Amino acid sequence: MNFLASFWHQRNYRVATVVAVLALLWLLSGLLSSGESQHPGQGAAASTAAHAEALRVQARRIEAQPYATRVQVNGRTEANRSVRLRAELDGAIVALPVAEGRAVKKGEVICEIAPEDRLEQLARASAALRKAQLDFAGAERLQKKGLQSDTAMAQQQVSLAEARAEYRRAEVAVDNLQIRAPFDGVVNSRAVELGDFIRRGEECATLLDLDPILVVGEVSESQVGNLIPGGPASAQLQQGQLVRGSLRYISQQAHELTRAYRVEVAVDNAGGALRGGLSGRLALPTGEIMAHRINSSLLTLDDRGDLGVRILDEENRVHFAGVTLVGDGDEGIWVSGLPQRVTLITVGQEYVTAGEIVQVEFEQLESDLPAPGANTGAAAVGAGVVPVADKQTSPREGEQ
């Protein structure tokens, strides 16, 4: 009794005892109220209903399409032909009919040289040729009458040949007074001005052929063997333009310093919109694979960190399928590694796990899908694959 009285009179012990009793009463009241407010089994039923609701997903049936795989390299645009027009005789420049930057047709005069006495020389050569022809004709008549020896006849032939050569030389000299465009193109620059004296072999102007225009690049020795000559190719230019053409040339000899092989893609440029020297990214054909287009948001990772998507089998059971990213574009990404035909979960894939059986609502019937091979080909450059040329569009896959 004395111990209990002493304990109760100690203030710290009294406070601790009161707090402990209150805490115990509060815990007991919570348990009792929980039991009264919910009937046994109601919590399990609610949990089951919520779980069943979470297992409802949306899916779409998609089918693989043939795609041309590509290798990407840095490139730049170049003129199809670049020619320096040079003078073939000496003389002063008396006319420059074409301004720099102007398009010209084949045969149009670019530079004109002063004729000096070349026209007179042509007239003299023409007269000399006419005399040689008359002399030869007279020698032939005498030979038929037996009045002309074979030696004299041979001399007449030599004279006629010399006259013809002299006339042709004078004629070419007159023709060379006008330096003409050898093909349709653009006068990129002029090396002379009006009144300049130009010598034989000196440059008059530079002519560019920009249709077709070339997009050139270099590929490594490990990639060059996979290229397909003549195959469809494309280039994404720095200005944002996407151009398409064909791989027309693959070098047979590597560059001595870079050990890379030059490639050329010919692109139609009838309107002259593309200029030389534009940088860009080339996508070159290397083969063909089967791939699916899906929405990038459908990609997920498994427990090991592998990239993939969630698909369904015939029993609506969820499976994780690993994929490889092979292309991307404005309307989705392209992946390989899936079966030819597959049911892809498009909504709710983040709430299910492999092995679960789910309720499925199909976004689109398989019969409503467009015909295979109907893709726009926007993935030409971004990630290394684009549709083959005869398959331009494909169904929208995996879009939510």
Side-chain angles (χ1 to χ4, degrees), residues 53-69:
E53 182 67 23
L55 294 182
R56 182 181 296 274
V57 299
Q58 292 184 9
R60 174 171 294 182
R61 294 187 179 98
I62 59 176
E63 188 168 351
Q65 304 293 333
Y67 265 68
T69 59

Side-chain angles (χ1 to χ4, degrees), residues 371-388:
N375 191 302
T376 60
V381 177
V385 295
V386 295
V388 292

Side-chain angles (χ1 to χ4, degrees), residues 9 65 87 95 160 234 279 298 309 315 317 332 358 361 383 399:
H9 288 292
Q65 304 293 333
L160 178 59
S234 61
S279 58
L298 301 182
V309 294
E315 299 178 351
R317 189 182 302 275
V358 297
E361 177 184 349
E399 297 178 353

Side-chain angles (χ1 to χ4, degrees), residues 9 12 31 38 40 117 132 137 140 160 170-171 207 261 276 284 396:
H9 288 292
N12 293 338
L31 293 175
Q38 181 172 323
D117 64 343
E140 281 187 325
L160 178 59
E171 189 179 44
L207 185 66
Y261 293 82
L284 306 171
R396 296 180 175 234

Side-chain angles (χ1 to χ4, degrees), residues 8-218:
W8 181 253
H9 288 292
Q10 293 184 16
R11 185 172 180 276
N12 293 338
Y13 288 114
R14 292 199 304 271
V15 172
T17 302
V18 172
V19 171
V21 171
L22 292 176
L24 181 61
L25 292 175
W26 178 75
L27 291 174
L28 291 174
S29 65
L31 293 175
L32 292 174
S33 62
S34 175
E36 293 174 357
S37 62
Q38 181 172 323
H39 186 275
Q42 287 182 351
S47 177
T48 302
H51 185 63
E53 182 67 23
L55 294 182
R56 182 181 296 274
V57 299
Q58 292 184 9
R60 174 171 294 182
R61 294 187 179 98
I62 59 176
E63 188 168 351
Q65 304 293 333
Y67 265 68
T69 59
R70 305 204 170 189
V71 60
Q72 296 184 34
V73 297
N74 293 325
R76 66 188 183 281
T77 58
E78 284 187 5
N80 181 39
R81 288 179 288 183
S82 177
V83 176
R84 293 181 177 180
L85 304 179
R86 300 181 184 274
E88 297 189 44
L89 44 80
D90 300 343
I93 299 296
V94 295
L96 295 169
V98 179
E100 289 180 324
R102 192 191 122 185
V104 295
K105 295 294 185 180
K106 180 180 179 180
E108 193 168 345
V109 177
I110 308 297
C111 303
E112 187 171 348
I113 301 173
E116 300 176 349
D117 64 343
R118 294 181 178 91
L119 296 177
E120 288 74 12
Q121 292 178 9
L122 177 60
R124 185 184 65 180
S126 178
L129 176 60
R130 177 60 179 165
K131 180 180 181 303
Q133 290 173 339
L134 293 174
D135 291 343
F136 183 79
E140 281 187 325
R141 287 194 297 269
L142 292 175
Q143 186 184 35
K144 291 179 180 178
K145 297 177 180 180
L147 302 175
Q148 185 79 340
S149 66
D150 291 341
T151 303
M153 192 63 194
Q155 183 61 44
Q156 291 296 331
Q157 289 178 336
V158 171
S159 299
L160 178 59
E162 290 177 348
R164 285 174 175 169
E166 188 65 26
Y167 174 78
R168 181 56 184 160
R169 188 179 300 111
E171 189 179 44
V172 169
V174 172
D175 289 342
N176 288 338
L177 293 174
Q178 295 179 324
I179 303 175
R180 301 176 180 273
F183 50 80
D184 295 352
V186 175
V187 178
N188 188 58
S189 62
R190 283 198 321 233
V192 295
E193 292 296 337
L194 193 65
D196 283 347
F197 188 85
I198 192 170
R199 295 192 178 276
R200 179 183 177 90
E202 291 183 345
E203 180 182 343
C204 162
T206 300
L207 185 66
L208 301 180
D209 178 12
L210 298 176
D211 185 27
I213 197 167
L214 304 182
V215 186
V216 302
E218 291 186 337

